[in-house]
Amino acid sequence: FYLTPPQVNSILKANEYSFKVPEFDGKNVSSVLGFDSNQLPANAPIEDRRSAATCLQTRGMLLGVFDGHAGCACAQAVSERLFYYIAVSLLPHETLLEIENAVESGRALLPILQWHKHPNDYFSKEASKLYFNSLRTYWQELIDLNSGETTDVKEALINAFKRLDNDISLEAQVGDPNSFLNYLVLRVAFSGATACVAHVDGVDLHIANTGDSRAMLGVQEEDGSWSAVNLSYDHNAQNEHEVERVKMEHPKSEEKSLVKQDRLLGLLMPFRAFGDVKFKWSIELQKRVVESGPDQLNDNEYTKFIPPNYHTPPYLTAEPEVIHHRLRPQDKFLVLATDGLWETMHRQDVARIVGEYLTGVHHQQPIAVGGYKVTLGQMHGLLTERRARISSVFEDQNAATHLIRHAVGNNEFGTVDHERLSKMLSLPEELARMYRDDITIIVVQFNSHVIGACQNEK
Amino acid sequence: SAGMFLRLLSDVRWRAANPKWRRTTCCRRSTSSTAEPQPVSLPAQAQVVICGGGIMGTSVAYHLSKMGWKDIVLLEQGRLAAGTTRFCAGIVSTARHVSIELKMANYSNKLYQQLEQETGVNTGYTKTGSISLAQTQDRLISLKRIASSLNVMGIPCEIITPKQVAQLHPLINIHDLVGAMYVPEDALVSSANVSLALATAASRNGVQIHERTSVSHVSVQKGRVAGVETDRGPIRCQYFVNCAGQWAYELGHSGEEPVNIPLHACEHFYLLTHPLKEPLASNLPTVVDPDGRIYIRNWQGGILSGGFEKNPKPLFTEGRNQLEIQNLQEDWDHFEPLLSALLRRMPDLEALQIMQLVNCPESFTPDMRCIMGESPTVRGYFVLAGMNSAGISYGGGAGKYLAEWMVNGYPSENVWPLDLKRFGTLQSSRTFLRHRVMEVMPLMCDLKVPRWDFQTGRQLRTSPLYDRLDAQGARWMEKHGFERVKYFVPPGKDLLDLDQSKTFYKPDWFDIVGSEVKCCKEAVCVIDMSSFTKFEISSTGDQALETLQYLFSNDLDVPVGHVVHTGMLNEKGGYENDCSIARLSKRSFFMISPTDQQVHCWAWLKNRLPDDSNLTMEDVTWKYTALNLIGPRAVDVLSELSYAPMTPEHFPSLFCKEMSVGYANGIRVMSITHTGEPGFVLYIPIEYALHVYNEVMNMGQKYGIRNAGYYALRSLRIEKFFAFWGQDLDAFTTPMECGREFQVKLDKGMQFVGQEALLEQKQNGVYKRFTMFILEDHDTDTDLWPWWGEPIFRNGRYVGKTTSSAYSYSLERHVCLGFVHHFDEKTGEELVVTTDFINQGEYEIDIAGQRFQAKAKLYPFSSLFAHRRRKDEVELSGYQRE
């Protein structure tokens, strides 16, 4: 059984999406040129999600990857809702008032986000009303709280993450008279998701990360080579600070049981996440909700199961770590990806592969004949060879697809091996998860001209 | 000459590296007076100022001075022949598709041939001949069509076999060839030296030439050129000629009164090599391999080879001198496909050593034809630019036509296909131009098939019904930026891909258009004709009537509500425009003209209307959507919708009335159809367009109504022998020559433009006659289809060319329209063409070298459509526009 190259391509390209920031008057004035994104499922259905949107009432663009576990419900909800919470947190008081007044009087709402979605990135219609009401409560509170200060992006990101997680938790506790919705909010709360979100506004780049997805900056050095700069820290057992933090938050008596086999309470890989109320609620609350919940929930062993050594909840938080970076002209791109990518590739390779892909032919030194003696035949041979090299890069129209091709198909020499690629992609569903994880990638390309100009201004 | 060429190239580098360069190298030439040390101060005044010292500017100066205009100043921002002209590959080729371009190239060739003798400047003219290769049968057809055109013009030309190709050129690999065209008189020149020779001759004739003088802008007073501002002071002048090449667009936009010159530069690459071991002969033919997208000429014992790649690199979109021309980079990776094509065509060149890859920008226009003529907005502002990389081939002829235009008021040939006024402001967007030239440049080498539509720069002007029609399967073409329906693909039917549908034979839409035509004849069809140009002319008193009576040949003093078909003629009686005019009231007129008349007709009238504030002219094209209801049941549909009787007794032919249709009021209904079928045109204020369309379609259902497109219209009008302006009619055709005397009122009681010329023709007879040809032994399924431009033979002798053709679904034959001349058998002198001359001939039409018998018909031809009702006779006396 063997997949042909076109079959491989159609699998790799099924979820690819590209967005170019529209040019105005022939010029792009944004610091973002555009982005490419793609996902390759290993789970069926895939548990990763991705989102991208432009803020319409404030400046800036939001991009995020979300890695779900114990189902995709939480990742789905976060991918739909988080950017609204962030956008609202960033809005000035007057705009919040305007929006609230519009809702109050039944007028059309100012659009807050412009989404850039692949057709497969769906929004759940059924829950939209519920989600909206929670969001509205949030902005009403923001209005009441009016601090009069300008919104700090870092603070806004932290608030939004925490608030959304809180709402997910509350909605599950309160329940919903509609049985479908009731089941949905419970599934959202009992499953979990990590989130890695970028907010780009001019030269200001903020990364808010919760969990073990990762943000990486691709930097082009003066000699043209590529290097990687991490813009997030993984929240897992490999991160000493994170282990330290968890231990600090719980009594010394629990120290040994907190992290076992590199997992939180011996169960959970990420140390921070949305949802996962099994690691957040008290045992009483968990029991009450499960018992009063629908049968499907009650019959589910996983939800009924209480983690061992569960003494002082919460053990888990959705609070993100936020890193601010001022973009420089040498910062060419940003890669946001779930751990499925980082497990298989080193960040240095990621930087090189994306960097060479994005610069493509331009990276190759142009040929100049100058004073050398070159024949037409020699030149022709040289050019054909250069073209062959380039065409392997240009097989993909999407940087994220290109990266996935390498992540899945790379052999020991770091080049794509079609046979390996074909094997990895034709694994039966139940086996796929053993060889690879869901992979979700967003590659954001920056506009060095604009960034350079901004820098000079300041 | 080749030495000169090289030296110029090295000068460039040297200059770029050495900015202090001033006059130390002025020992450049001795033959040219222009090398005198500068600066000589500029004159304060001149009759003509020409901007641009390339092949175009010097050619215009040369021809103007030859025609007796002496007070001319030519300004060049750098040095003479230093721009694109310097880098030009120097190939003079007459193998052109458009007849006027062919004439220009032929003239250029003859001019350059004797230029060295005339001026003493070595032009490097070498008659090498050219071979155009065909790798496919379709390409060979395309070449055969050109060969037919060249032959009837007396330019030697042959279709040859691959074997003959090998005999003509030792290096060509002929294994993948099916044939070729050989033009033995094509030539090579040093284009820079040709330009210098023209400048030398011009300057001997009194033209003042100033190098290193930049024109900053042109000043305009009362809509006329008043002078130019330069970096060395102003010059007052009556005429300005913009020959600024790829900078022409910007120069046009630099003044307070912008002149739109739609062109855009693209990078163009060619390769120079060292000589072969056994240097190539300097008279070896130039090779054009369009399927490989390359040309190859001998150069200094080696070769010069360039081409037109599929992925061109446009440049200077944001304006001039972002990079200096001189600093453009060689881009070998970009050149790779062309190099591959070269080595495939001439494998023996592998070992040849490279000298240089030259990057020389060329300017391209939106329709691949050059731009010449007077600005529609500024009188006295002339333009000659946008040569689409054929500048040296066109240079001589284009300069001559423009000089004639300035001196005589119009060139000696019909140059409408090249006229600046075919464009408007709508083609001047930089984004549009950038996108379009990226399509145009590869087209240089693509197969030129009939009915080609550009794919870029589309959906600019659309009717409000666009989406409705599109959803019903409309396929679109574009005219003057306006989207028009070609035909409607019925649901469930698929047509070929764009590339596959390119054919010289029966096209894939044949049956689709056939059924639309049938519906027009038997039931009723709707065609959206909103693109037509529409003007309203009105006055407080009788000024409008008086002026129009003078400017139009038919009698416009008709009762209110009547529609008149009339020509807008020039002094020679030729058609400047062909239009219908409805008299809306005593003092206001509604004028409908062809789509591409919007700029030309406006400028023509504006320049001739008296300066009277009580007389107003307004362009109302955008205000109305025009729906054409064609067919015998149009009457029923319209009377049901308006509750008004529409039968000929109540609504005679050529009648115009405002009425209500459905809920909408104020619809201008005219009983004309442009096709000879019964029907109406509804001019609908655009906000009612969708409503009226829906009403018509709903009501029409029971009468079998359907949508139709322009291809159906075209078939209908051509089988009815209706001429159309821009295709059949032009400024050199009079109503007398196409059987339209009845549209001229020679005795309308007052003088009108062209009257004298027509009276003379009436007395002395005409020298060409518009004739209809019905192909006899032509098999629609298997033979090549006629297009236009096919030579017509009478008793075996060439008498003219066709101007349009279509398949007539009712005659089940192809119909060609064209002009028949009478050339004296011995002297070639043009003689009067009589009805007998037409009727007594045996005719053949030459389609790509194959001749088909044809029956000639003159208007009227009642026998053909004898079954038609009398009413149509009035309609037939109408005319056609597309």
Side-chain angles (χ1 to χ4, degrees):
Chain A
F1 184 65
Y2 190 74
L3 295 172
T4 62
Q7 284 172 319
V8 165
N9 284 345
S10 85
I11 293 174
L12 288 180
K13 292 174 187 216
N15 292 312
E16 72 178 15
Y17 177 82
S18 284
F19 174 75
K20 266 178 88 172
V21 173
E23 293 183 350
F24 175 72
D25 200 17
K27 286 197 188 86
N28 181 351
V29 292
S30 159
S31 60
V32 174
L33 285 172
F35 70 85
D36 290 339
S37 75
N38 199 353
Q39 315 187 288
L40 181 70
N43 293 299
I46 186 169
E47 293 180 348
D48 279 5
R49 292 293 184 272
R50 62 185 153 166
S51 294
T54 304
C55 299
L56 296 175
Q57 301 307 324
T58 54
R59 298 179 313 159
M61 195 164 179
L62 287 165
L63 305 115
V65 296
F66 312 99
D67 184 353
H69 49 263
C72 59
C74 187
Q76 173 66 31
V78 174
S79 76
E80 288 179 37
R81 304 176 69 182
L82 182 57
F83 287 7
Y84 280 115
Y85 280 74
I86 297 172
V88 164
S89 307
L90 287 167
L91 288 181
H93 186 67
E94 307 80 62
T95 317
L96 287 172
L97 275 178
E98 203 177 321
I99 291 176
E100 174 58 20
N101 288 339
V103 177
E104 192 62 47
S105 55
R107 278 184 287 119
L109 222 59
L110 287 174
I112 297 175
L113 291 174
Q114 185 198 355
W115 293 94
H116 311 300
K117 288 198 299 189
H118 186 274
N120 292 354
D121 301 341
Y122 63 97
F123 275 17
S124 57
K125 279 220 175 68
E126 298 80 4
S128 64
K129 182 94 180 118
L130 175 78
Y131 290 168
F132 177 78
N133 286 337
S134 296
L135 182 68
R136 187 180 175 192
T137 314
Y138 177 40
W139 81 53
Q140 284 170 339
E141 287 179 29
L142 286 176
I143 291 172
D144 294 342
L145 276 172
N146 178 21
S147 57
E149 287 168 25
T150 46
T151 329
D152 174 59
V153 178
K154 180 172 177 176
E155 208 173 311
L157 286 164
I158 294 175
N159 291 342
F161 273 61
K162 284 163 75 175
R163 175 67 184 213
L164 172 59
D165 194 48
N166 206 36
D167 282 354
I168 288 173
S169 170
L170 271 179
E171 284 156 9
Q173 292 173 41
V174 174
D176 196 282
N178 174 317
S179 62
F180 176 84
L181 278 183
N182 196 33
Y183 184 44
L184 178 74
V185 294
L186 286 166
R187 273 189 300 145
V188 169
F190 276 91
S191 58
T194 71
C196 187
V197 172
H199 178 266
V200 200
D201 175 9
V203 294
D204 290 310
L205 169 65
H206 285 85
I207 304 288
N209 184 47
T210 288
D212 54 4
S213 291
R214 199 182 287 172
M216 185 213 85
L217 196 63
V219 181
Q220 186 164 32
E221 304 297 339
E222 272 177 30
D223 65 357
S225 67
W226 295 93
S227 61
V229 174
N230 270 353
L231 288 183
S232 68
Y233 302 110
D234 298 351
H235 300 138
N236 58 18
Q238 279 72 47
N239 182 341
E240 286 171 30
H241 298 285
E242 202 54 14
V243 175
E244 206 55 35
R245 175 185 66 82
V246 175
K247 288 184 176 166
M248 289 277 288
E249 289 173 357
H250 297 277
K252 196 122 178 102
S253 56
E254 290 183 44
E255 193 166 316
K256 289 221 167 111
S257 57
L258 271 176
V259 180
K260 273 184 169 173
Q261 290 153 355
D262 283 352
R263 291 170 185 245
L264 190 65
L265 296 178
L267 293 170
L268 198 60
M269 293 254 274
F271 280 28
R272 302 191 194 193
F274 282 92
D276 283 327
V277 290
K278 273 152 38 78
F279 298 85
K280 290 174 181 164
W281 288 353
S282 65
I283 295 176
E284 298 73 45
L285 182 57
Q286 291 194 36
K287 284 194 169 146
R288 180 167 61 75
V289 170
V290 171
E291 272 158 25
S292 64
D295 297 341
Q296 301 104 308
L297 196 67
N298 229 334
D299 297 341
N300 187 327
E301 287 304 319
Y302 172 76
T303 44
K304 276 202 288 193
F305 172 76
I306 303 289
N309 305 307
Y310 197 79
H311 307 298
T312 51
Y315 288 90
L316 194 63
T317 175
E319 177 168 337
E321 217 174 344
V322 179
I323 292 181
H324 174 233
H325 176 80
R326 281 183 64 83
L327 290 170
R328 306 156 299 168
Q330 63 265 40
D331 299 337
K332 300 298 182 188
F333 59 89
L334 173 75
V335 178
L336 298 175
T338 54
D339 58 343
L341 175 72
W342 308 111
E343 280 164 13
T344 55
M345 279 180 98
H346 191 266
R347 59 193 164 101
Q348 188 55 44
D349 293 330
V350 171
R352 184 181 51 80
I353 288 168
V354 175
E356 284 176 2
Y357 171 84
L358 290 178
T359 45
V361 66
H362 310 297
H363 178 61
Q364 288 195 339
Q365 283 296 314
I367 303 179
V369 173
Y372 299 107
K373 288 185 176 176
V374 185
T375 68
L376 290 179
Q378 287 166 336
M379 178 59 88
H380 184 232
L382 181 62
L383 294 175
T384 328
E385 188 220 318
R386 280 161 71 94
R387 206 162 69 121
R389 219 184 309 156
I390 293 157
S391 69
S392 77
V393 171
F394 280 101
E395 196 171 359
D396 295 314
Q397 266 94 55
N398 183 304
T401 310
H402 189 63
L403 204 46
I404 292 178
R405 189 186 296 277
H406 276 274
V408 180
N410 262 9
N411 57 20
E412 55 269 46
F413 308 112
T415 56
V416 176
D417 176 348
H418 179 74
E419 202 174 326
R420 182 182 156 85
L421 193 56
S422 161
K423 271 189 196 147
M424 290 291 279
L425 293 178
S426 54
L427 292 172
E429 266 178 24
E430 57 281 9
L431 276 182
R433 184 63 190 85
M434 317 218 355
Y435 288 90
R436 54 187 171 88
D437 194 0
D438 290 340
I439 299 178
T440 298
I441 299 173
I442 299 179
V443 178
V444 187
Q445 204 184 344
F446 296 120
N447 190 341
S448 303
H449 298 290
V450 170
I451 290 170
C454 287
Q455 242 184 3
N456 293 341
E457 270 169 37
K458 289 166 187 170
Chain B
S1 71
M4 174 69 193
F5 186 72
L6 240 198
R7 195 141 45 78
L8 285 168
L9 285 174
S10 55
D11 270 355
V12 173
R13 289 236 199 78
W14 194 78
R15 234 175 103 195
N18 212 340
K20 282 185 192 151
W21 179 82
R22 261 287 154 203
R23 65 186 55 174
T24 45
T25 55
C26 271
C27 51
R28 202 159 51 100
R29 308 204 55 80
S30 52
T31 45
S32 164
S33 62
T34 59
E36 301 298 305
Q38 296 227 356
V40 180
S41 63
L42 294 181
Q45 178 169 351
Q47 187 187 10
V48 183
V49 172
I50 300 170
C51 173
I55 180 75
M56 291 304 146
T58 52
S59 176
V60 171
Y62 170 89
H63 286 98
L64 277 177
S65 65
K66 275 221 151 167
M67 293 179 75
W69 283 21
K70 305 287 184 191
D71 187 9
I72 300 168
V73 176
L74 188 152
L75 306 178
E76 161 58 43
Q77 59 168 341
R79 294 197 294 172
L80 279 182
T84 297
T85 299
R86 174 214 303 266
F87 292 106
C88 169
I91 300 169
V92 184
S93 156
T94 45
R96 303 285 160 192
H97 286 271
V98 181
S99 133
I100 184 70
E101 293 181 339
L102 204 156
K103 283 176 185 160
M104 290 198 299
N106 189 34
Y107 172 84
S108 301
N109 196 356
K110 296 203 162 104
L111 174 71
Y112 301 159
Q113 191 172 5
Q114 52 83 47
L115 203 56
E116 185 163 340
Q117 202 178 15
E118 180 185 339
T119 62
V121 178
N122 174 10
T123 56
Y125 184 94
T126 318
K127 196 172 279 181
T128 59
S130 74
I131 313 172
S132 302
L133 308 177
Q135 292 184 26
T136 65
Q137 287 299 338
D138 270 350
R139 177 70 66 184
L140 196 58
I141 292 168
S142 183
L143 293 177
K144 283 176 175 170
R145 290 187 60 95
I146 298 180
S148 291
S149 291
L150 288 172
N151 278 326
V152 297
M153 279 189 61
I155 303 171
C157 168
E158 255 184 285
I159 295 295
I160 58 177
T161 63
K163 260 195 183 156
Q164 288 171 292
V165 172
Q167 285 159 9
L168 285 166
H169 200 300
L171 293 172
I172 297 183
N173 164 21
I174 57 165
H175 297 302
D176 54 351
L177 300 182
V178 297
M181 176 177 74
Y182 178 47
V183 185
E185 293 193 351
D186 278 356
L188 292 179
V189 294
S190 154
S191 41
N193 287 20
V194 165
S195 194
L196 292 174
L198 292 169
T200 304
S203 119
R204 280 191 203 137
N205 276 334
V207 175
Q208 298 181 54
I209 299 177
H210 296 267
E211 297 183 292
R212 266 173 248 114
T213 309
S214 304
V215 175
S216 61
H217 69 267
V218 176
S219 46
V220 176
Q221 268 168 20
K222 290 182 188 165
R224 270 210 74 101
V225 168
V228 298
E229 292 292 332
T230 78
D231 56 353
R232 293 175 54 212
I235 307 177
R236 275 176 288 126
C237 63
Q238 288 167 269
Y239 294 94
F240 176 74
V241 189
N242 183 340
C243 294
Q246 56 200 325
W247 314 125
Y249 173 92
E250 269 192 289
L251 180 57
H253 276 264
S254 63
E256 63 252 61
E257 183 71 54
V259 174
N260 288 307
I261 304 163
L263 54 81
H264 194 295
C266 278
E267 293 180 43
H268 175 64
F269 295 93
Y270 64 75
L271 170 78
L272 298 175
T273 73
H274 290 280
L276 271 76
K277 274 213 184 94
E278 201 174 315
L280 288 183
S282 63
N283 61 354
L284 201 64
T286 298
V287 176
V288 182
D289 180 3
D291 300 303
R293 321 189 78 87
I294 51 167
Y295 57 82
I296 309 153
R297 56 161 280 195
N298 74 73
W299 184 78
Q300 286 215 315
I303 60 144
L304 180 163
S305 172
F308 299 96
E309 63 274 23
K310 273 187 183 157
N311 53 335
K313 293 165 66 173
L315 81 167
F316 304 133
T317 305
E318 289 180 19
R320 86 190 290 171
N321 294 349
Q322 266 181 321
L323 350 146
E324 291 282 323
I325 285 195
Q326 285 86 346
N327 293 337
L328 287 177
Q329 300 287 326
E330 55 193 316
D331 184 343
W332 280 98
D333 290 303
H334 191 72
F335 192 70
E336 187 271 330
L338 301 179
L339 179 58
S340 297
L342 170 65
L343 289 177
R344 202 178 69 190
R345 186 54 54 223
M346 297 186 180
D348 293 347
L349 297 185
E350 285 245 346
L352 192 56
Q353 219 178 79
I354 295 167
M355 176 175 279
Q356 195 187 359
L357 185 65
V358 181
N359 181 353
C360 117
E362 296 271 2
S363 40
F364 293 86
T365 62
D367 58 2
M368 220 181 4
R369 301 197 299 260
C370 75
I371 297 173
M372 69 159 71
E374 190 176 15
S375 155
T377 47
V378 181
R379 299 213 73 185
Y381 192 123
F382 283 82
V383 178
L384 184 58
M387 291 298 144
N388 298 290
S389 81
I392 198 67
S393 295
Y394 297 152
K400 172 179 158 230
Y401 289 142
L402 193 79
E404 288 172 351
W405 201 328
M406 294 172 69
V407 175
N408 303 332
Y410 203 78
S412 54
E413 291 281 348
N414 168 38
V415 295
W416 170 248
L418 315 178
D419 193 330
L420 172 63
K421 294 200 245 346
R422 74 189 186 273
F423 298 118
T425 49
L426 64 97
Q427 285 94 352
S428 73
S429 141
R430 279 318 261 175
T431 314
F432 165 79
L433 288 171
R434 184 182 168 88
H435 291 180
R436 176 56 68 83
V437 297
M438 287 177 73
E439 182 181 4
V440 163
M441 179 166 156
L443 221 51
M444 306 290 300
C445 287
D446 287 347
L447 212 51
K448 271 47 161 213
V449 292
R451 301 165 295 266
W452 168 257
D453 298 309
F454 286 103
Q455 303 300 310
T456 53
R458 295 287 298 269
Q459 293 179 325
L460 182 56
R461 302 167 75 202
T462 55
S463 145
L465 303 175
Y466 180 86
D467 283 344
R468 276 301 304 277
L469 302 178
D470 197 56
Q472 294 175 78
R475 292 290 182 274
W476 302 89
M477 62 196 251
E478 170 250 1
K479 185 96 177 182
H480 203 59
F482 211 108
E483 294 293 331
R484 311 196 302 184
V485 181
K486 295 191 282 192
Y487 45 80
F488 289 82
V489 178
K493 192 168 161 71
D494 262 335
L495 289 190
L496 296 172
D497 284 343
L498 196 68
D499 261 2
Q500 292 175 303
S501 66
K502 286 184 177 181
T503 178
F504 292 99
Y505 294 91
K506 181 171 146 182
D508 52 356
W509 43 258
F510 181 78
D511 292 328
I512 293 176
V513 173
S515 61
E516 285 176 13
V517 165
K518 188 163 185 274
C519 185
C520 286
K521 289 181 180 277
E522 293 173 1
V524 53
C525 277
V526 184
I527 303 184
D528 184 342
M529 311 235 284
S530 307
S531 68
F532 281 18
T533 300
K534 303 175 263 294
F535 293 165
E536 264 175 24
I537 299 156
S538 47
S539 60
T540 50
D542 286 337
Q543 302 95 322
L545 177 67
E546 282 167 17
T547 314
L548 295 185
Q549 283 285 59
Y550 173 68
L551 291 174
F552 292 85
S553 57
N554 210 338
D555 189 1
L556 292 168
D557 194 5
V558 290
V560 171
H562 279 241
V563 182
V564 177
H565 294 314
T566 178
M568 182 176 90
L569 308 181
N570 55 32
E571 297 293 341
K572 293 182 194 151
Y575 277 102
E576 289 296 332
N577 185 7
D578 184 28
C579 47
S580 353
I581 299 181
R583 189 165 194 183
L584 298 177
S585 73
K586 279 232 160 288
R587 296 178 176 125
S588 79
F589 295 85
F590 184 64
M591 172 180 172
I592 306 141
S593 330
T595 309
D596 50 4
Q597 276 279 356
Q598 197 165 18
V599 178
H600 172 69
C601 179
W602 179 266
W604 177 274
L605 290 174
K606 251 308 184 242
N607 289 338
R608 284 162 181 80
L609 290 180
D611 195 11
D612 180 347
S613 60
N614 293 320
L615 175 64
T616 58
M617 175 167 77
E618 192 191 354
D619 185 342
V620 296
T621 305
W622 61 276
K623 284 188 179 176
Y624 294 94
T625 297
L627 285 184
N628 192 351
L629 265 67
I630 305 180
R633 311 311 298 268
V635 173
D636 306 300
V637 175
L638 211 52
S639 46
E640 276 208 53
L641 279 175
S642 58
Y643 286 94
M646 301 298 291
T647 51
E649 305 84 68
H650 298 93
F651 207 118
S653 198
L654 292 176
F655 200 64
C656 165
K657 198 157 93 177
E658 281 207 0
M659 45 195 284
S660 57
V661 177
Y663 301 152
N665 204 3
I667 312 296
R668 247 169 229 171
V669 177
M670 296 192 199
S671 42
I672 54 176
T673 62
H674 316 283
T675 61
E677 302 301 320
F680 302 89
V681 182
L682 278 50
Y683 291 92
I684 309 159
I686 51 167
E687 68 266 36
Y688 296 142
L690 201 57
H691 172 76
V692 172
Y693 175 78
N694 287 339
E695 291 291 304
V696 166
M697 290 310 276
N698 287 337
M699 186 59 76
Q701 241 168 23
K702 63 181 169 191
Y703 300 104
I705 201 164
R706 57 176 292 173
N707 292 301
Y710 272 81
Y711 283 7
L713 197 77
R714 182 182 161 80
S715 168
L716 287 167
R717 73 100 178 162
I718 288 178
E719 73 176 18
K720 291 287 167 57
F721 201 1
F722 284 10
F724 123 65
W725 193 91
Q727 182 93 53
D728 308 304
L729 304 181
D730 59 41
F732 288 80
T733 312
T734 72
M736 305 303 188
E737 293 159 350
C738 52
R740 288 188 175 183
E741 196 178 330
F742 60 88
Q743 282 184 15
V744 180
K745 283 280 155 16
L746 287 168
D747 52 354
K748 68 177 168 184
M750 65 175 294
Q751 270 211 321
F752 61 89
V753 182
Q755 189 177 24
E756 273 178 42
L758 296 184
L759 277 168
E760 196 194 306
Q761 274 196 332
K762 190 177 161 77
Q763 208 153 33
N764 302 336
V766 295
Y767 289 87
K768 61 179 178 185
R769 264 312 275 276
F770 195 49
T771 312
M772 176 177 181
F773 296 95
I774 300 162
L775 296 190
E776 295 287 307
D777 54 349
H778 182 269
D779 186 331
T780 305
D781 291 322
T782 57
D783 284 327
L784 286 173
W785 274 34
W787 180 3
W788 49 269
E790 288 88 14
I792 303 165
F793 292 88
R794 178 184 177 277
N795 299 342
R797 294 177 59 84
Y798 170 72
V799 288
K801 281 187 175 181
T802 64
T803 50
S804 54
S805 74
Y807 181 80
S808 161
Y809 291 88
S810 27
L811 300 174
E812 296 180 336
R813 287 252 160 271
H814 259 288
V815 174
C816 300
L817 307 181
F819 285 93
V820 171
H821 301 250
H822 185 181
F823 301 110
D824 186 277
E825 295 203 7
K826 291 197 185 80
T827 62
E829 189 194 352
E830 285 203 51
L831 305 176
V832 167
V833 178
T834 61
T835 310
D836 283 348
F837 179 80
I838 301 280
N839 289 337
Q840 286 162 9
E842 295 284 329
Y843 290 90
E844 285 172 313
I845 308 287
D846 174 330
I847 307 175
Q850 194 182 351
R851 293 193 187 178
F852 296 92
Q853 289 169 21
K855 272 225 171 73
K857 304 272 176 192
L858 282 175
Y859 174 84
F861 45 85
S862 45
S863 61
L864 218 56
F865 291 93
H867 58 285
R868 284 273 156 225
R869 286 175 296 163
R870 169 83 194 109
K871 176 182 170 290
D872 302 351
E873 285 295 307
V874 188
E875 187 58 41
L876 270 180
S877 67
Y879 71 105
Q880 163 59 27
R881 303 173 250 107
E882 281 178 13

